[in-house]
C-alpha cells in the first residue's frame, strides 16, 4: 500500500524508471493498481506497466493506467518459464 497522500515520499521526482509486470485473469485489482500508479507517478517520472493479460483485460487496463504509466505488452520475443520474468525483461529494455 502506498503511503498516505498527504505524506509525500520526496519533494521532487526520483530520477528512475519503475517496472510493474502484471498478468491478470480479470480486472479485480485494476482500481487499486490505478490508485497505486497515480501515487507512484508523482514520485517517479517513468512508470512502466508490462501487461501479459489477455486482450480484453489488457485493453481495460490500458484505459485505467494511461494517465499514470506507460502500458505495454511483453516483447514478442521474450519467452520465459516464469511469465513475469518476460515482463521484467521488457520493462528493463524500455527503461534503458
Amino acid at each position: 500500500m502506498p503511503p498516505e497522500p498527504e505524506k509525500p515520499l520526496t519533494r521532487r521526482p526520483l530520477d528512475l524508471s519503475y517496472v510493474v509486470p502484471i498478468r491478470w485473469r480479470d480486472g479485480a485489482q485494476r482500481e487499486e493498481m490505478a490508485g497505486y500508479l497515480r501515487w507512484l507517478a508523482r514520485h517517479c517520472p517513468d512508470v512502466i506497466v508490462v501487461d501479459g493479460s489477455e486482450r480484453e483485460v489488457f485493453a481495460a487496463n490500458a484505459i485505467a493506467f494511461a494517465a499514470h504509466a506507460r502500458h505495454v505488452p511483453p516483447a514478442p520475443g521474450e519467452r520465459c518459464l516464469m511469465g513475469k520474468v518476460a515482463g521484467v525483461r521488457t520493462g528493463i529494455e524500455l527503461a534503458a
Side-chain angles (χ1 to χ4, degrees):
M1 240 14 216
E4 296 296 318
E6 61 272 5
K7 298 178 184 174
L9 180 65
T10 64
R11 292 177 189 237
R12 59 186 158 83
L14 301 170
D15 186 22
L16 56 87
S17 296
Y18 192 93
V19 177
V20 182
I22 61 173
R23 188 166 86 188
W24 296 342
R25 292 186 188 140
D26 58 37
Q29 310 95 323
R30 187 175 299 117
E31 187 175 326
E32 182 178 359
M33 178 63 78
Y36 176 64
L37 296 173
R38 182 173 36 258
W39 173 84
L40 189 58
R42 293 188 333 211
H43 307 287
C44 178
D46 189 26
V47 179
I48 305 166
V49 177
V50 184
D51 187 352
S53 303
E54 294 297 323
R55 180 175 285 151
E56 298 81 21
V57 176
F58 181 95
N61 289 345
I63 293 166
F65 304 157
H68 310 295
R70 283 196 279 169
H71 180 254
V72 299
E78 288 290 348
R79 297 265 183 218
C80 299
L81 292 176
M82 302 275 302
K84 284 191 176 182
V85 173
V88 170
R89 290 172 54 107
T90 298
I92 289 171
E93 285 296 318
L94 291 171

